[in-house]
Amino acid sequence: MLKLIQDDVTLKVMLQQDLDEDVLDAMVVPATDAQRRDLGSAAVGQAWMAWSLLGTTPKVIKFMPPEEGGQDEWRKLLLSYRNALRVANRHEVASLALPLPQQAGLPPLQDRLAAELAMALLETCRERHHLRHLQLIASGNQEAVLYANLLVEIQGGSAPSLE
């Protein structure tokens, strides 16, 4: 749907069915319900590498966004995305698939929060030394178009209004 370059990182916004797992080093997936129960609310906002005995590719990075994407949980949501990218960097991941909020099972974000997330993703690309390909997975066309437009606006220097 959209492909752009930000600080030597190629970003693509796409739908799940367009994802090519053969080119990925890792995928970020939300924590399961069992993991949420076992780890508790203190783990909200965290991310970790999920090791596989078989050494499968792509590897899996689990992250635990809050179950609600509202204003009160915004900082934890943003932290969970940043931590997922930090884990990818720590494990020298060059190609990563990251679900956008609705694909991760969250309700749609308010436009202002979606814009802040898009800005944070672009900003984080500057800080990752190993990442070269970031595929942002949308739940459907509406979410894909929203984030594609936001990323283009931000990269073009006309950041959306956050008021």
Side-chain angles (χ1 to χ4, degrees), residues 52-73:
S52 167
L53 296 177
L54 302 175
T56 60
T57 301
K59 293 180 175 29
V60 175
I61 296 172
K62 294 282 191 159
F63 79 139
M64 194 181 304
E67 293 185 270
E68 295 291 323
Q71 182 68 39
D72 295 340
E73 297 295 315

Side-chain angles (χ1 to χ4, degrees), residues 104-144:
L106 295 168
L109 294 180
Q110 298 169 4
D111 287 349
R112 182 181 65 79
L113 298 179
E116 285 185 43
L117 177 59
M119 282 192 281
L121 291 171
L122 285 176
E123 175 186 298
T124 303
C125 287
R126 293 184 197 116
E127 303 166 1
R128 302 299 138 224
H129 306 291
H130 302 285
L131 189 63
R132 293 292 167 252
H133 304 279
L134 178 59
Q135 298 179 29
L136 301 173
I137 311 304
S139 65
N141 286 330
Q142 187 173 3
E143 186 177 37

Side-chain angles (χ1 to χ4, degrees), residues 4-128:
L4 58 86
I5 308 283
Q6 175 72 32
D7 298 303
D8 295 327
V9 177
T10 302
L11 282 95
K12 291 182 182 178
V13 178
M14 60 181 42
L15 302 176
Q16 180 73 36
Q17 64 264 24
D18 299 327
L19 184 65
D20 182 7
E21 291 184 22
D22 294 336
V23 300
L24 293 175
D25 293 332
M27 296 178 67
V28 177
V29 297
T32 64
D33 289 339
Q35 288 167 327
R36 284 185 173 281
R37 278 191 306 275
D38 292 345
L39 297 173
S41 62
V44 172
Q46 300 303 312
W48 62 93
M49 181 64 80
W51 297 106
S52 167
L53 296 177
L54 302 175
T56 60
T57 301
K59 293 180 175 29
V60 175
I61 296 172
K62 294 282 191 159
F63 79 139
M64 194 181 304
E67 293 185 270
E68 295 291 323
Q71 182 68 39
D72 295 340
E73 297 295 315
W74 171 243
R75 290 186 199 283
K76 290 178 184 173
L77 176 66
L78 196 54
L79 180 64
S80 66
Y81 276 91
R82 284 186 171 143
N83 282 336
L85 290 166
R86 284 183 188 123
V87 169
N89 190 57
R90 196 171 341 157
H91 291 279
E92 300 181 2
V93 170
S95 181
L96 180 69
L98 181 69
L100 290 168
Q102 284 180 261
Q103 180 66 21
L106 295 168
L109 294 180
Q110 298 169 4
D111 287 349
R112 182 181 65 79
L113 298 179
E116 285 185 43
L117 177 59
M119 282 192 281
L121 291 171
L122 285 176
E123 175 186 298
T124 303
C125 287
R126 293 184 197 116
E127 303 166 1
R128 302 299 138 224

